[in-house]
Amino acid sequence: MVNTSKIKELMAKKNLTQQTLADAVGVTEAAISYILRGLRDPSYRIMINISKVLECTIDELTIK
């Protein structure tokens, strides 16, 4: 399960909008919106890309 608050926190630190993150990850802004609202879990590939853009580990982006 995705830790949406952590993603939002890291986005804020990097001053990224949903559109900027989406462009960097290679998905639509709607896909990022669904993920951040907890309506959809991203694929492993998308999680890898998000972690690269946010410069963190996948573990940091998941709820333990």
Side-chain angles (χ1 to χ4, degrees):
M1 184 156 262
V2 178
N3 185 343
T4 58
S5 353
K6 185 65 175 182
I7 294 174
K8 290 175 187 176
E9 174 189 325
L10 293 170
M11 285 175 63
K13 283 183 180 179
K14 291 190 155 292
N15 204 23
L16 296 175
T17 64
Q18 287 184 17
Q19 184 64 59
T20 309
L21 180 61
D23 291 342
V25 170
V27 296
T28 64
E29 193 250 337
I32 296 296
S33 176
Y34 284 133
I35 292 167
L36 293 178
R37 290 187 288 151
L39 300 176
R40 177 179 290 163
D41 282 329
S43 69
Y44 188 67
R45 179 190 64 80
I46 292 172
M47 283 295 285
I48 289 171
N49 292 343
I50 290 173
S51 70
K52 286 179 183 177
V53 172
L54 297 178
E55 298 176 344
C56 65
T57 65
I58 291 176
D59 284 345
E60 291 177 81
L61 300 180
T62 58
I63 296 174
K64 298 173 179 123

